[in-house]
Amino acid sequence: MRILPALVIAASLAAPPVFADEDAVGLKPEQIGQIFCLSRTGSDEGAISGLLTPELTAAIADAWARNDAWIAANPPDEKPPLGDGIQWQAWPDYAPDCTVGLATLMKTDAKVEISYAFPDSPDANFTDTLLLRRVVNEASLLEQWRIDNVAYATGGDLRTALTEAFEAP
């Protein structure tokens, strides 16, 4: 029974409180960044699908619907606009290392740096930024952090990329 108090003390020391985040429940911005990194290095978008704002979820669904319409209207040997999937990061290359950097918290939004590293090519390293927003969970009526966009190291962002993928070159 002495193990439980020791674990509680250790957990409280490992996760200091963040005052700007005191009204939100659930995952902290840094934890969302960690899940995002696991998703990227594991090539599994399913891990983040429940961590998106309803607006970003709708924008992605719309992009997939537009992609399906494009496929139906074009020859099968042409690559569709989302042929490589959703552009979750600035560069499409698989980065073997993904780490969470600085998290900046405001009252209703947060930014979490996501750094991608290529051990064999360090010049290719880059850092994108998750843009989080607090949204009300309709089931619990409590606010939770959710991914609302990704700002790319190249200056663009995910929402813009979803739209521009369908614009004629």
Side-chain angles (χ1 to χ4, degrees):
M1 284 296 170
R2 291 184 177 158
I3 294 175
L4 184 57
L7 289 174
V8 170
I9 291 170
S12 67
L13 294 174
V18 179
F19 298 110
D21 197 26
E22 63 192 13
D23 295 331
V25 298
L27 298 170
K28 303 293 184 209
E30 296 86 352
Q31 293 170 317
I32 291 175
Q34 291 166 350
I35 293 168
F36 188 85
C37 274
L38 289 171
S39 168
R40 301 309 310 134
T41 57
S43 298
D44 183 3
E45 291 179 19
I48 59 172
S49 63
L51 297 175
L52 308 177
T53 62
E55 295 83 3
L56 182 56
T57 299
I60 290 170
D62 179 61
W64 281 120
R66 290 178 70 188
N67 195 67
D68 290 344
W70 188 97
I71 290 170
N74 287 280
D77 61 339
E78 289 191 38
K79 185 176 179 179
L82 298 182
D84 292 327
I86 300 297
Q87 187 179 337
W88 291 107
Q89 59 193 51
W91 304 104
D93 301 327
Y94 173 77
D97 294 334
C98 179
T99 57
V100 177
L102 179 66
T104 307
L105 300 163
M106 283 67 74
K107 190 66 177 167
T108 59
D109 57 277
K111 296 178 181 180
V112 180
E113 292 179 355
I114 302 294
S115 296
Y116 297 96
F118 300 85
D120 295 336
S121 302
D123 290 345
N125 296 352
F126 63 95
T127 300
D128 288 340
T129 303
L130 293 182
L131 304 177
L132 308 181
R133 188 167 49 89
R134 286 168 55 156
V135 298
V136 175
N137 178 318
E138 292 187 19
S140 67
L141 299 179
L142 298 171
E143 289 186 332
Q144 297 177 318
W145 290 109
R146 293 294 179 252
I147 301 168
D148 193 47
N149 203 353
V150 180
Y152 301 142
T154 55
D157 65 89
L158 173 59
R159 285 178 179 263
T160 302
L162 289 172
T163 302
E164 288 179 351
F166 300 94
E167 294 177 0

